[in-house]
Amino acid sequence: MFRKARTALVGLAVAAGMVGVGSAPVHAATSAAMDAPCGWFVSSGLAKYNHCDYNNVIIYVDRLVHSDYEKCVGPGVITLGIHPAVKGAWYNGRLC
């Protein structure tokens, strides 16, 4: 029984080490991305989206007058346009 538990702990330690290596791009993010909230937000009259994970995802962008659209975004902050012309944006559950 003790051997199985020790093997499981070693497996978890190895997995944790791999997660740390795989998340390196998150640590390389700019200070602006780290200071911004995750997801959609408004700053200085501009609608922005901060993707706080390490992968690329598709977000849905909700606009006031023009057609809404989907956009592939990577980690960090992107500017979507002027607020309130861009009403919001959110992760739609898909990777790109």
Side-chain angles (χ1 to χ4, degrees), residues 10-25 27 54:
V10 170
L12 287 173
V14 169
M18 288 180 180
V19 169
V21 171
S23 64
H27 299 298
Y54 61 90

Side-chain angles (χ1 to χ4, degrees), residues 12-71:
L12 287 173
V14 169
M18 288 180 180
V19 169
V21 171
S23 64
V26 173
H27 299 298
T30 65
S31 62
M34 291 187 299
D35 292 340
C38 295
W40 182 79
F41 66 100
V42 176
S43 175
S44 301
L46 296 174
K48 299 183 178 193
Y49 188 89
N50 184 17
H51 180 53
C52 295
D53 208 349
Y54 61 90
N55 53 8
N56 294 343
V57 297
I58 297 175
I59 62 170
Y60 184 84
V61 181
D62 187 14
R63 298 195 295 178
L64 184 64
V65 177
H66 301 289
S67 298
D68 301 342
Y69 65 95
E70 293 181 334
K71 180 175 184 70

